[in-house]
Amino acid sequence: MPVNKPINGRNAAPAVDSTDVLGIGDAITPAHLQFQPRARRKSHNWGKLEYLFNMPMDIFYEIGGHLMPRDILSLSRTSKRLREILLSRTARHVWIAARSNVMPPLPACPLSISEADYAHILFDKKLCEACGAPRPTYSLFAIPARLCSLCFSANIVTGAESVKRYGLRENGVKLLYLLPPIPRGFDVKVRSSVVQTPEQYYYAPDFAAILWRFRGFAAKGEKEGWKQYVEKLRKSVLPKMNFHAAVLQWEENVRDTRLEKYRDLRAARVSAISAKLAELGVQPDEFAYSAEWTRLVRRPAELTDKNWDKIRPELLRMVEERREELRERQRLSEFNERRGRLLNMLRKCYEDVVQGVEDLPQGSEPLIFPPWHEATERVASLNSILQDTRDVSEMTQAQLQSLGPKILADVRRINLDIKQYLLDLISTTTTLDAPPNGSKGRKGKNSIKNTAPAVERTKGRIFDILDSVSAMFVCGRAYPSMKKTDCRLIYSFRGLVDHWQDEHGDLPPSTGTYITVAGDARQPRNIARLLTALGLPEEATMTAVEERVRSGRVRCSCGVDCTREAGRKRPHLMLSRVIEHVLDPLAHPAPSLPPQLNVKAFPVRN
């Protein structure tokens, strides 16, 4: 406890007047802020300490010299008789002997406080000195006191605020030279001098006490007594500051010593438990290392036989769970290894099938294969092999050879489903009547909507219908998050397939509403304009149009490069760019004069 009792920070803010020198006031603590200590029950050992008074005092002092300061402090609070004995001056040597038992060694006790107060401030860390709140936050050994956050704010103020609070003039700042500044944070620096400024923080009750003494000396006219008092306080400032730093350093050394002790105990406990588990046939890789395992094994306490009998069933249970986890990992690793080998074999077989189709003579109907990452899902023969997640085995060469025709049949079925889906879109498109002469169509400049082919045409080959120049489509699978996309452009069947593989990483779907048929009632005239610009006959197919456009760089007679941002890397966009430019009314305002497109072949690369 400091010499000047701290202000209870849980009280209402007091009104300072000229008669209230200490600045405490007579405010009453609100009920909801009062700290109510719990009432203690009387122990069954109540009254047994009176037998200590039957022994000689020198023996009692000798026993007390082997105790710790915390123990003597607790003993002095057990009865009034023991308090009188242990707090008397004749018992000072007992406190000094008890202080020498502490390791690491304690700093020397300052002359401004007693041995009992010294032990109290160092070892009683549970309650605030002002309000009695538990677990105080601030340790101020220059005062010395331990304060909670509320009491700290009420007692620790700047020097300028203290001078202003009591209405002092500029000379009141000189009173700050008699107080130790309160360090902010963890300050263990040993000082050779102290500089006090009004911006630093000070203990307000000490400032009020010095002011009260000053007014007392001034009222009596004792200038010499005031000088002696000032000199005494000035000499005590630096030792108080260094004592604060020394105690903080000692507490840090205690923490380091305790942590080192805990590390040694933890290491010894882990080693002992590992040895006992090894005797039971448990390998180190079978340790659980979970939170529960760490709580039982890495506890900083010595392992006794009783404690081992208590934790052994729990440890063995966690070891068995760990073994089951390791067995499951081993099974999964073997499964992934077998599945990886099987995937490599199936991929090689799939690539052989793709290569065999590409080697077919020209003129055959093109077959579109899904990419490998989609083939494992869409090709039924591959999916049926990979759908079993447990029983995976390698395939023989004969099985792989028999799998090739199945893959080819599944891919043909996928192609047929896609073509049939697109054909249904064309067949269900309503035929639009041509608008009257001089009127405009309902769509924009680059809209080409297919007039529905006659129903009897669907009886022919599907590829012939999709290869007609009137079969054009628009992809509508553009998400709002896609800032730049090639969707919503006009594509042929071949361009649509290339677009889906480039943009969406898959083949076009065989169901859904992502794809629509492009065009309007002006389609025959627009198709004729496109074929004339490319220099192709009226009976040309879409394959001929695509080959013509993709064969090189397409440049219009007006000087515009129609295949910009396309080229070799994205050839499926070239036809869309050409259609957009040919039907642009701003670039070619005269509809009766179609533009002329010149195709310059790409340079041959080595």
Side-chain angles (χ1 to χ4, degrees):
M1 176 67 69
V3 177
N4 300 299
K5 185 176 179 180
I7 303 171
N8 190 342
R10 298 177 182 271
N11 286 348
V16 180
D17 53 31
S18 58
T19 60
D20 184 15
V21 179
L22 296 180
I24 298 177
D26 54 354
I28 301 176
T29 305
H32 68 282
L33 291 178
Q34 292 180 359
F35 176 72
Q36 301 293 342
R38 184 179 300 177
R40 296 182 179 180
R41 291 183 177 181
K42 290 187 177 181
S43 172
H44 62 279
N45 292 322
W46 186 270
K48 293 184 178 180
L49 288 177
E50 63 179 353
Y51 297 108
L52 290 175
F53 304 130
N54 297 334
M55 70 174 65
M57 293 307 298
D58 55 347
I59 299 178
F60 176 77
Y61 287 152
E62 183 68 22
I63 295 174
H66 293 277
L67 300 178
M68 292 291 181
R70 188 196 309 270
D71 302 328
I72 301 180
L73 197 64
S74 301
L75 189 62
S76 65
R77 295 169 178 170
T78 55
S79 68
K80 293 182 179 180
R81 177 60 177 161
L82 286 175
R83 180 179 180 84
E84 293 175 359
I85 294 175
L86 294 175
L87 296 186
S88 62
R89 292 185 178 180
T90 57
R92 185 172 182 272
H93 67 282
V94 178
W95 294 93
I96 296 176
R99 180 154 50 88
S100 64
N101 297 330
V102 179
M103 295 300 294
L106 285 168
C109 177
L111 300 177
S112 57
I113 60 176
S114 63
E115 290 285 347
D117 290 338
Y118 182 66
H120 165 70
I121 192 62
L122 258 64
F123 299 104
D124 277 356
K125 305 177 182 180
K126 296 182 179 181
L127 301 178
C128 173
E129 297 286 351
C131 64
R135 296 183 296 275
T137 308
Y138 299 93
S139 299
L140 310 174
F141 301 109
I143 299 176
R146 294 183 188 269
L147 302 176
C148 64
S149 56
L150 289 177
C151 297
F152 180 85
S153 302
N155 291 275
I156 308 301
V157 297
T158 61
E161 183 178 351
S162 298
V163 173
K164 182 179 179 181
R165 175 181 295 181
Y166 298 105
L168 303 179
R169 298 180 180 179
E170 296 181 358
N171 291 335
V173 179
K174 296 180 179 180
L175 296 179
L176 301 177
Y177 301 153
L178 310 179
L179 295 173
I182 303 301
R184 308 292 288 182
F186 186 77
D187 188 1
V188 296
K189 179 181 179 181
V190 178
R191 294 173 172 80
S192 58
S193 61
V194 181
V195 178
Q196 294 98 329
T197 62
E199 292 77 17
Q200 292 176 315
Y201 288 82
Y202 301 90
Y203 185 50
D206 279 355
F207 183 87
I210 293 174
L211 178 60
W212 180 77
R213 294 292 298 271
F214 168 74
R215 290 176 177 176
F217 282 116
K220 297 178 181 180
E222 298 180 359
K223 295 184 178 180
E224 191 64 28
W226 169 249
K227 290 182 180 180
Q228 295 177 2
Y229 178 71
V230 168
E231 187 66 23
K232 176 183 177 182
L233 290 182
R234 282 183 175 176
K235 291 182 179 180
S236 65
V237 170
L238 184 60
K240 289 180 179 179
M241 296 291 295
N242 290 335
F243 174 69
H244 175 80
V247 174
L248 289 181
Q249 184 64 51
W250 173 79
E251 287 187 339
E252 185 179 10
N253 295 337
V254 170
R255 285 192 295 269
D256 294 342
T257 304
R258 185 185 300 113
L259 290 177
E260 184 178 359
K261 177 183 177 181
Y262 286 169
R263 282 195 295 266
D264 295 341
L265 288 174
R266 188 178 292 112
R269 184 182 179 92
V270 170
S271 178
I273 292 178
S274 300
K276 289 182 176 297
L277 290 176
E279 295 176 358
L280 299 176
V282 180
Q283 301 299 325
D285 58 342
E286 296 175 346
F287 293 171
Y289 294 114
S290 60
E292 186 179 3
W293 177 278
T294 303
R295 179 180 62 82
L296 296 176
V297 176
R298 299 184 60 82
R299 180 182 177 187
E302 184 181 358
L303 181 67
T304 61
D305 294 339
K306 181 179 180 180
N307 185 250
W308 168 246
D309 294 338
K310 183 179 179 180
I311 67 174
R312 179 176 55 187
E314 292 294 325
L315 296 179
L316 293 180
R317 177 185 60 81
M318 288 185 280
V319 165
E320 189 59 35
E321 293 177 355
R322 174 65 175 174
R323 287 173 176 173
E324 183 61 29
E325 180 184 353
L326 292 176
R327 286 192 291 266
E328 183 63 24
R329 285 187 182 180
Q330 182 66 22
R331 288 193 294 266
L332 183 60
S333 176
E334 294 175 357
F335 165 76
N336 290 334
E337 185 178 356
R338 294 195 306 269
R339 185 181 176 87
R341 291 196 299 266
L342 179 61
L343 282 173
N344 292 333
M345 298 174 67
L346 294 178
R347 185 168 187 172
K348 182 63 170 59
C349 179
Y350 184 75
E351 292 175 352
D352 293 342
V353 174
V354 174
Q355 185 65 33
V357 173
E358 292 178 353
D359 294 340
L360 291 177
Q362 295 183 355
S364 303
E365 181 178 342
L367 194 62
I368 306 168
F369 284 81
W372 169 249
H373 66 277
E374 292 291 337
T376 55
E377 297 293 335
R378 299 187 66 170
V379 179
S381 56
L382 296 176
N383 190 24
S384 61
I385 298 175
L386 297 175
Q387 66 181 356
D388 189 358
T389 59
R390 288 302 176 189
D391 188 13
V392 177
S393 58
E394 298 183 6
M395 300 181 66
T396 62
Q397 192 64 28
Q399 290 175 333
L400 292 175
Q401 292 178 357
S402 63
L403 183 61
K406 296 180 182 179
I407 295 176
L408 190 59
D410 291 337
V411 173
R412 292 184 186 278
R413 189 177 300 107
I414 294 173
N415 280 254
L416 183 61
D417 292 341
I418 296 174
K419 294 175 183 178
Q420 185 63 48
Y421 167 64
L422 298 178
L423 180 63
D424 293 341
L425 290 178
I426 297 174
S427 301
T428 54
T429 303
T430 305
T431 304
L432 298 177
D433 297 333
N437 293 334
S439 64
K440 297 182 179 180
R442 301 187 332 187
K443 296 293 181 179
K445 60 182 180 180
N446 58 350
S447 298
I448 298 181
K449 187 167 184 179
N450 184 27
T451 55
V455 178
E456 56 269 14
R457 289 188 62 189
T458 61
K459 298 179 181 179
R461 297 179 61 196
I462 298 178
F463 180 72
D464 293 339
I465 300 175
L466 296 178
D467 197 35
S468 64
V469 291
S470 60
M472 295 189 183
F473 308 93
V474 175
C475 174
R477 193 185 179 184
Y479 302 106
S481 60
M482 299 172 65
K483 297 182 179 179
K484 186 176 181 181
T485 176
D486 297 331
C487 296
R488 304 188 185 92
L489 298 180
I490 299 173
Y491 297 101
S492 64
F493 170 67
R494 178 182 177 186
L496 182 67
V497 172
D498 293 343
H499 161 72
W500 269 76
Q501 289 181 333
D502 178 72
E503 184 88 2
H504 307 301
D506 192 6
L507 292 182
S510 55
T511 58
T513 59
Y514 288 131
I515 301 174
T516 57
V517 180
D520 59 13
R522 298 173 297 178
Q523 182 183 9
R525 183 179 61 187
N526 294 335
I527 291 176
R529 184 181 178 88
L530 176 64
L531 294 177
T532 302
L534 291 173
L536 296 175
E538 295 181 358
E539 63 275 7
T541 62
M542 185 59 73
T543 301
V545 173
E546 284 279 7
E547 291 178 355
R548 174 70 172 167
V549 172
R550 297 190 184 193
S551 60
R553 182 71 65 182
V554 181
R555 188 174 295 273
C556 182
S557 57
C558 64
V560 175
D561 185 2
C562 302
T563 54
R564 63 189 183 279
E565 300 180 1
R568 286 182 171 180
K569 293 183 178 180
R570 310 178 76 184
H572 58 279
L573 296 178
M574 298 178 71
L575 180 60
S576 299
R577 303 299 186 203
V578 170
I579 293 174
E580 180 181 2
H581 178 73
V582 169
L583 302 184
D584 188 358
L586 298 179
H588 308 285
S592 60
L593 297 176
Q596 298 297 322
L597 301 177
N598 298 321
V599 182
K600 183 179 180 181
F602 292 117
V604 180
R605 295 180 180 178
N606 296 329

